[in-house]
Amino acid sequence: MTNKLSLLFISLLFITNPFKAQDNPEDLLNLVNEKPKKEFTTATFKTTRVINFHTTEVLSRRSLDFRISHRFGDANTGAYNAWGLDGTANIRLGLEYSQNGRFMFGLGRTSTKKIVDGFLKYKLIRQAKNGGSPVSVTLFSAAYQTFEHVNTNGFDKYQVYTDRLSYCNQIMVSRKFNSRLSMQLTAAMVHVNLAEKLTNGNDCFVAGFLARYKFTKRQAITFEYAYRLNKYSKDNYYDSFGIGYDLETGGHVFQINFTNSFGLTENQFYMYNTSTWSKWGIRLGFNISRVFSLQGRPKTND
Amino acid sequence: MKTSTNFLLKTGTTTLLALTFFTLSAFSVKSQIYIGDKSTISFFSATKMENIDAVNSVSRPVLNTKTGAFAIQASQNAFIFKSAFMQEHYNENYVESEKFPFATFKGKINETIDYTVNGKTNVTITGDLDMHGVKKPRTITGVVEVKDGSILMSSKFDVKVSDHDIKVPSLYIEKIAEVIQVSFNAELFPMKK
């Protein structure tokens, strides 16, 4: 009996001595190693746009983004027009800001059709490692107003103010598969108050697909395509399709791209593309994004 | 009668002895492990063009006062910068935290310290600094202060960026220092179980 008891206690001693191994610094960390923490995925895409289309990215906290987007003319205009470099060009200047890294807003002015746009964007769900969502979901809502004066034969096209307005709502779902590859699906709806022709509809529904492949730490190739789901016009418009190259240099991101879209706002590039890749109706374009970080350290990373 | 008392006594003594030994050993071993609940690791890169600094305040250092073994693991993602932009670049382009999520240091204090007496000791710790997938043997100087049952540790040391295979593009050489100053402060308490 005594022996049995002693044996029991001795064996207990061995079983319940978890500190034995901690003489070695290798094992010390096991004492504090908690479960891997939930970690939000960052930089699914390099900027808030891939070429023309919005990505699920929202600017980081206290960041101001100054964007210049420029599109040259159609490449199929020939040597006399320097394959589009001579024009007609379209340019958008934008100023965008986020205070908390989840919600952002932006204002922009586009030269063609003298469009002023304003948008709100909110990152609803953030992709995360270790027990988080597998995808990021971002909501987007924008309004556009054209300031163009169109007066034909004494008839003012925009006699009614609201005819100048159009809108876009989007829901975007993206996933960063690994540090190189990210993909996104977009569902968008554009509403224009003024249908250009009697036979035109006011709404256009779009399914978009975006991808990014990073081939070095600072360079990536990008891709975007938007499929229009409904017939809103009898005119020949084409789906927007673009490929691009991203180069990141510290505070700047340069995006050089080829796309058949001339417009720089959703109400244009989703709906009214008059040129097509099959007839070299593509153009060279670039976006420059310059982010100014307003300093301020948060308490945590969330 | 006599045998049964004897037996009881014997069993009782064994039990008592074993129990005492068991609790004592458990207690003494437990009390030799100290864990930092409050710690900060910060680094500073100073150049003429730009100063960059970041703070990590969630790492938990562990010290075995009996053997002098010391270890800490810092999550790269937990370094907080003044500018969110720099933070993204740090993780994405420099330390590649997706591939190498942690910086760790594991080593041993070379000096013997009496942890039962309040006082400051200048120490050296020899061990491996593992960062960005490159392990470097290092001897780091620091101060260990015993203060009413808790242990304060502090250290300042330099990390050469190229030692850990972290590449700085020529464009940023003027903005990012070749040698980063790291400072570490922690207060460690006996481990509770």
Side-chain angles (χ1 to χ4, degrees):
Chain A
M1 185 68 183
T2 325
N3 281 342
K4 262 188 188 169
L5 270 173
S6 317
L7 213 71
L8 185 75
F9 279 116
I10 287 162
S11 53
L12 250 175
L13 256 179
F14 279 105
I15 295 163
T16 55
N17 195 345
F19 305 101
K20 191 82 190 150
Q22 269 82 53
D23 294 349
N24 189 345
E26 292 292 319
D27 303 308
L28 272 181
L29 281 176
N30 296 337
L31 295 176
V32 282
N33 266 2
E34 290 140 24
K35 274 184 196 161
K37 269 187 201 153
K38 188 167 151 183
E39 240 169 55
F40 292 110
T41 307
T42 57
T44 305
F45 294 96
K46 204 68 243 177
T47 77
T48 54
R49 316 292 203 291
V50 61
I51 294 167
N52 279 322
F53 302 1
H54 269 273
T55 64
T56 51
E57 285 299 318
V58 163
L59 288 172
S60 16
R61 66 185 142 78
R62 291 170 69 81
S63 294
L64 182 72
D65 188 7
F66 175 58
R67 297 186 70 92
I68 305 165
S69 311
H70 190 279
R71 301 290 178 269
F72 290 101
D74 276 28
N76 61 12
T77 47
Y80 178 69
N81 199 32
W83 293 276
L85 294 185
D86 290 351
T88 316
N90 192 10
I91 185 163
R92 178 184 182 273
L93 300 177
L95 212 51
E96 303 169 3
Y97 181 74
S98 174
Q99 172 68 23
N100 62 4
R102 295 291 292 276
F103 172 75
M104 70 176 279
F105 59 90
L107 276 174
R109 175 67 158 75
T110 306
S111 59
T112 304
K113 290 187 187 286
K114 302 185 187 303
I115 296 167
V116 169
D117 66 279
F119 71 84
L120 307 172
K121 200 171 167 184
Y122 180 68
K123 199 163 196 178
L124 187 68
I125 297 169
R126 293 174 288 176
Q127 185 184 337
K129 264 194 285 189
N130 307 324
S133 161
V135 293
S136 294
V137 179
T138 300
L139 305 175
F140 171 91
S141 190
Y144 315 88
Q145 180 179 346
T146 170
F147 284 86
E148 218 176 17
H149 292 299
V150 183
N151 212 320
T152 31
N153 307 326
F155 175 72
D156 184 4
K157 184 179 172 185
Y158 297 111
Q159 204 172 6
V160 182
Y161 164 74
T162 51
D163 282 354
R164 295 182 174 275
L165 302 177
S166 45
Y167 309 90
C168 175
N169 290 303
Q170 302 191 86
I171 178 161
M172 297 167 269
V173 182
S174 76
R175 176 163 167 81
K176 188 179 187 175
F177 289 93
N178 51 50
S179 61
R180 292 177 183 272
L181 182 69
S182 304
M183 289 191 197
Q184 179 183 317
L185 291 171
T186 300
M189 184 266 211
V190 181
H191 176 85
V192 290
N193 276 353
L194 179 70
E196 299 282 329
K197 289 176 183 165
L198 211 59
T199 49
N200 281 9
N202 293 83
D203 295 317
C204 171
F205 296 91
V206 175
F209 174 70
L210 280 64
R212 183 228 23 201
Y213 185 78
K214 233 168 100 174
F215 57 93
T216 72
K217 272 186 233 168
R218 294 180 177 81
Q219 296 174 87
I221 44 170
T222 54
F223 169 92
E224 67 179 20
Y225 175 70
Y227 179 73
R228 293 158 307 142
L229 297 162
N230 65 324
K231 188 107 180 113
Y232 53 88
S233 170
K234 287 188 171 163
D235 294 336
N236 247 344
Y237 293 123
Y238 300 94
D239 291 341
S240 181
F241 176 73
I243 50 175
Y245 162 76
D246 278 12
L247 174 67
E248 189 225 304
T249 67
H252 294 82
V253 179
F254 294 99
Q255 298 178 312
I256 298 162
N257 48 59
F258 289 97
T259 168
N260 62 330
S261 293
F262 185 63
L264 288 162
T265 48
E266 286 72 18
N267 61 343
Q268 299 295 319
F269 62 67
Y270 280 149
M271 289 176 81
Y272 300 124
N273 299 315
T274 49
S275 36
T276 166
W277 276 76
S278 63
K279 290 173 190 155
W280 287 98
I282 54 169
R283 72 209 66 255
L284 178 69
F286 59 84
N287 302 338
I288 298 170
S289 153
R290 172 74 175 112
V291 172
F292 299 91
S293 274
L294 307 179
Q295 309 262 297
R297 201 190 308 271
K299 287 205 176 69
T300 65
N301 267 334
D302 304 326
Chain B
M1 185 68 185
K2 205 185 174 191
T3 33
S4 71
T5 330
N6 218 346
F7 168 73
L8 267 173
L9 212 74
K10 222 176 169 185
T11 330
T13 323
T14 324
T15 319
L16 204 72
L17 259 172
L19 264 174
T20 322
F21 183 55
F22 171 61
T23 39
L24 255 178
S25 72
F27 180 74
S28 66
V29 181
K30 197 186 282 180
S31 63
Q32 81 194 29
I33 303 287
Y34 279 72
I35 293 180
D37 284 323
K38 288 181 230 161
S39 83
T40 55
I41 307 167
S42 56
F43 66 76
F44 189 61
S45 153
T47 62
K48 278 180 191 165
M49 296 277 287
E50 198 160 38
N51 290 336
I52 302 166
D53 68 301
V55 189
N56 178 321
S57 52
V58 293
S59 302
R60 300 179 73 200
V62 195
L63 173 71
N64 185 332
T65 53
K66 198 176 162 194
T67 61
F70 174 80
I72 185 163
Q73 175 169 300
S75 175
Q76 295 285 20
N77 267 318
F79 279 98
I80 298 179
F81 290 66
K82 273 185 199 151
S83 138
F85 214 64
M86 285 177 185
Q87 191 167 326
E88 188 182 308
H89 289 173
Y90 175 76
N91 285 297
E92 281 260 307
N93 300 338
Y94 294 96
V95 297
E96 297 176 87
S97 51
E98 211 141 323
K99 261 194 253 171
F100 313 108
F102 302 108
T104 54
F105 179 82
K106 290 168 186 165
K108 247 174 198 184
I109 297 179
N110 296 318
E111 290 75 8
T112 35
I113 301 167
D114 185 355
Y115 289 95
T116 54
V117 185
N118 281 0
K120 267 187 191 179
T121 319
N122 288 326
V123 296
T124 54
I125 300 186
T126 304
D128 290 324
L129 178 65
D130 189 349
M131 195 176 148
H132 193 237
V134 181
K135 214 182 241 186
K136 281 273 157 185
R138 295 286 302 259
T139 298
I140 289 164
T141 56
V143 179
V144 171
E145 186 184 354
V146 180
K147 197 180 168 192
D148 305 325
S150 76
I151 299 172
L152 299 164
M153 295 179 86
S154 65
S155 173
K156 274 194 165 70
F157 58 98
D158 291 340
V159 175
K160 208 174 161 193
V161 175
S162 58
D163 273 358
H164 291 273
D165 199 24
I166 296 168
K167 290 184 187 85
V168 179
S170 51
L171 203 64
Y172 307 111
I173 277 178
E174 296 197 336
K175 287 191 175 183
I176 297 167
E178 280 174 56
V179 175
I180 309 288
Q181 298 149 25
V182 182
S183 57
F184 164 69
N185 279 293
E187 185 170 9
L188 292 81
F189 300 93
M191 187 171 106
K192 291 168 216 144
K193 255 273 148 94

